[in-house]
Every structure is written in structure tokens, then in C-alpha cells.
């Protein structure tokens, strides 16, 4: 049985790869591209088992048919979103697109039959009722059945989004990976603006956000300069660090190099050569017998 909280039980992955889902995913509003992506990547374990495994009725969708459709959808999304393509990957994308189109049409024919009575979600019904009451003349009473009734909802493939799926492979051949013309980069950049907006007093927002962005940029530059200074200073006193190393009597002294089992005291070879500039033993191309 599919619960409204099934997606909520899925754990997060990475810093922002898979975020925590809302308590009721079907009632989410203003979904961004990353929200649809997260739902698609995590929907297979959520929907697994809600349909029967076998059925003698040809109009009933089985569990394996649903999972196959979800897998092909995720596969199409993965190949369409790749940042680097070869002719083999584009050919596979075209094959996956064809397979996905057949599966989604097959799924549409079955779910739009009389065997399934699909209705609006509560949020869709409430939104339609509010729109109906706003369009009604002032003082006119809205029928109660219009406020509480739910209309049938069928899968509609006659949309531009489904129509344009076959254009992904040709467009990638013409313009490169889909990340170059995707809206996801702009949506991810908008997260910073929304986070900074919460720190303003909601007056003259653009100026306050601009000041905070400049402040963050100066802090980032200062942090990078501090790291560069620390990195440039690691190889100056290279002889001092040698006291931390112990010589094992079992080591072959004729070996050109020895790999230490410890990584506690690392030595940057580039900094070591720079700090010993002028020493013939550290010239590029010379054989360093001991480091």
C-alpha cells in the first residue's frame, strides 16, 4: 500500500544530491527540476509492490510493467542529462527514448481504461474550487458539490513535454550536453538568493542581497589567500620535518626511494625543489637518491 509518507522514509544522499522529501510528496507545490529529479530517482522502491504481480486481465497494469516504465524513465533521464556524450551514448539514448515512448503509451492505454477510476488529488480539487469561487460574480453562492467534488483525472500525453522527448538526441548533437541549455543551473543559483533573502528586512532587498554577496565574495578571496600562504610555507623548512621520520634498519639502503607507511608528515615535492633552488641534487632530471 502506497502511503503519502513513503518518500519521507527515504534517507538523504550527499550534501544536496537527494534531500529530505516533504511529508506528503503528492501535495508538494512549486516543484523545481531538482524536485522532479529526486522523485524520479527514488520512486522505484516507493512504488514497488502497490500493484499485483500477475493478472489474467489484459487491462490491469502489473507491478513488473510499472517498475519497467519507471526504470526506463530514470534511464532516459540519466542519459539525457549526461555532460559528455559519444556517438554510442547518443544512439543508446535514441533507443531508450523509443522504448520509453512505447511503455508510456502502453501505460496510458491501460490506466485510461474503465478498470481505473483515477481522480484529482485533494489539493487539485481545492485549487479548482477556489478558482471557481473567484470567477463567480460577487454575492453569488458557489454550489456545494463544486467545492467538494473530485473530477476524473487521466494521463495526458498530448503535451509539449512528451512531444519534445525525441528531440533530445538531435539537440545534443547540435549544441552539446543538455547542461548547457538546462534551467537547473539557474534554479540552483536561485537557492543562494532565497537564503540571503531570509537575512534581509524585506526592504530594498536587492541592495541588501548585493552587500551580502560582496561580503561573501571577499571572505572567499581572503580564505583562498590564506590557504595559498599556508601552502607556500609548507616546504620552506623541509629539513625540520625530517626529524619526524625514523629509519628502519630493514630498509634496503640501495633503493632509490622508500614509501613511508605513515601519512602524518607529508612533503610537497614541488615546494621542496623550490626551497632548495640552487642545489644541483634538486635540479629537474637529476637522480634524487634520498628524500
Amino acid at each position: 500500500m502506497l502511503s503519502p509518507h513513503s518518500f519521507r522514509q527515504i534517507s538523504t544522499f550527499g550534501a544536496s544530491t537527494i534531500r529530505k522529501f516533504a511529508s506528503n510528496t503528492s501535495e508538494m507545490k512549486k516543484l523545481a527540476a531538482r524536485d522532479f529529479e529526486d522523485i524520479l530517482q527514488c520512486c522505484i522502491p516507493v512504488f514497488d509492490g502497490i500493484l499485483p504481480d500477475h493478472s489474467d486481465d489484459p487491462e490491469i497494469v502489473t507491478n513488473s510493467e510499472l517498475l519497467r516504465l519507471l526504470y526506463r524513465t530514470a534511464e532516459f533521464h540519466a542519459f539525457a542529462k549526461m555532460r559528455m556524450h559519444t556517438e554510442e551514448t547518443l544512439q543508446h539514448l535514441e533507443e531508450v527514448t523509443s522504448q520509453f515512448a512505447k511503455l508510456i503509451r502502453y501505460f496510458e492505454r491501460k490506466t485510461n481504461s474503465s478498470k481505473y477510476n483515477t481522480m484529482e488529488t485533494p489539493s487539485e480539487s481545492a485549487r479548482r474550487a477556489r478558482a471557481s469561487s473567484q470567477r463567480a460574480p460577487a454575492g453569488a453562492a458557489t454550489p456545494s458539490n463544486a467545492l467538494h467534488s473530485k473530477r476524473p483525472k487521466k494521463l495526458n500525453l498530448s503535451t509539449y513535454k512528451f512531444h519534445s522527448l525525441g528531440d533530445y538526441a538531435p539537440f545534443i548533437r547540435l549544441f552539446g550536453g543538455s547542461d548547457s541549455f538546462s534551467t537547473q543551473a539557474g534554479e540552483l543559483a536561485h537557492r543562494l538568493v532565497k537564503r540571503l533573502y531570509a537575512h534581509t528586512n524585506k526592504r530594498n532587498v536587492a541592495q541588501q542581497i548585493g552587500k551580502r554577496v560582496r561580503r561573501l565574495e571577499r571572505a572567499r578571496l581572503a580564505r583562498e589567500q590564506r590557504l595559498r600562504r599556508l601552502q607556500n610555507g609548507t616546504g620552506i623548512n623541509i629539513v625540520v620535518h625530517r626529524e619526524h621520520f625514523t629509519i628502519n634498519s630493514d630498509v634496503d639502503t640501495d633503493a632509490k626511494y622508500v614509501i613511508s607507511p605513515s601519512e602524518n608528515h607529508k612533503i610537497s615535492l614541488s615546494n621542496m625543489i623550490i626551497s632548495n633552488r640552487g642545489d644541483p641534487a634538486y635540479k629537474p632530471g637529476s637522480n634524487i637518491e634520498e628524500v
Side-chain angles (χ1 to χ4, degrees):
M1 182 64 182
L2 180 62
S3 170
H5 308 287
S6 299
F7 278 97
R8 186 70 175 179
Q9 300 174 5
I10 297 177
S11 59
T12 59
F13 180 79
S16 60
T17 305
I18 300 295
R19 304 182 186 181
K20 197 69 175 177
F21 286 95
S23 299
N24 192 343
T25 308
S26 63
E27 300 293 337
M28 292 175 62
K29 300 178 181 178
K30 299 180 180 179
L31 280 80
R34 56 178 175 80
D35 298 318
F36 289 105
E37 182 181 30
D38 292 349
I39 293 174
L40 176 61
Q41 292 174 342
C42 302
C43 65
I44 290 182
V46 173
F47 285 92
D48 187 13
I50 66 171
L51 295 177
D53 294 330
H54 304 283
S55 177
D56 297 331
D57 192 340
E59 294 185 356
I60 296 296
V61 181
T62 61
N63 186 61
S64 59
E65 292 173 343
L66 175 61
L67 297 184
R68 188 181 301 111
L69 172 61
L70 295 177
Y71 180 83
R72 290 302 179 194
T73 309
E75 185 180 11
F76 169 82
H77 172 267
F79 274 85
K81 197 182 176 183
M82 288 178 62
R83 299 184 179 181
M84 184 177 295
H85 278 277
T86 62
E87 186 59 32
E88 288 76 10
T89 59
L90 289 175
Q91 291 177 359
H92 185 74
L93 175 59
E94 292 174 339
E95 295 175 0
V96 172
T97 305
S98 177
Q99 295 173 6
F100 169 72
K102 294 178 181 178
L103 290 173
I104 193 64
R105 291 195 189 99
Y106 180 76
F107 183 78
E108 180 198 23
R109 287 195 299 268
K110 283 196 170 185
T111 54
N112 289 350
S113 64
S114 58
K115 296 291 183 179
Y116 295 93
N117 185 22
T118 53
M119 309 296 291
E120 294 176 325
T121 62
S123 62
E124 291 174 338
S125 178
R127 184 166 57 250
R128 180 175 52 81
R130 287 194 300 267
S132 178
S133 61
Q134 291 175 358
R135 289 193 301 267
T142 305
S144 58
N145 58 350
L147 296 177
H148 303 287
S149 62
K150 293 183 179 180
R151 292 181 178 178
K153 192 79 170 183
K154 301 295 183 180
L155 177 60
N156 181 22
L157 299 184
S158 300
T159 61
Y160 174 75
K161 289 184 178 181
F162 281 102
H163 177 75
S164 62
L165 292 181
D167 298 330
Y168 269 83
F171 268 64
I172 291 174
R173 284 191 175 94
L174 290 174
F175 305 110
S178 59
D179 60 308
S180 60
F181 51 85
S182 174
T183 60
Q184 188 173 17
E187 292 176 356
L188 293 176
H190 190 57
R191 289 164 50 192
L192 174 62
V193 179
K194 291 192 292 186
R195 186 169 68 249
L196 295 179
Y197 177 80
H199 295 281
T200 65
N201 59 2
K202 314 303 184 291
R203 297 179 181 177
N204 199 4
V205 176
Q207 183 178 0
Q208 295 184 51
I209 291 179
K211 288 182 178 180
R212 288 187 173 272
V213 169
R214 289 194 297 270
R215 192 178 304 166
L216 292 174
E217 184 66 18
R218 286 196 294 266
R220 184 185 64 82
L221 293 176
R223 184 168 58 252
E224 291 179 354
Q225 292 177 0
R226 184 169 62 254
L227 290 175
R228 282 196 296 268
R229 287 196 299 267
L230 292 175
Q231 291 174 357
N232 293 335
T234 53
I236 296 177
N237 299 324
I238 195 68
V239 180
V240 177
H241 294 290
R242 289 185 177 179
E243 64 185 10
H244 299 288
F245 293 92
T246 58
I247 300 176
N248 190 350
S249 58
D250 298 333
V251 174
D252 185 6
T253 56
D254 295 331
K256 292 186 177 181
Y257 59 87
V258 177
I259 299 178
S260 173
S262 174
E263 297 182 359
N264 295 334
H265 306 285
K266 299 180 181 179
I267 296 178
S268 174
L269 294 179
S270 59
N271 291 333
M272 181 176 64
I273 294 174
I274 293 174
S275 60
N276 292 274
R277 186 175 299 169
D279 191 339
Y282 289 92
K283 286 184 178 180
S286 62
N287 295 327
I288 302 178
E289 298 294 340
E290 181 183 358
V291 177

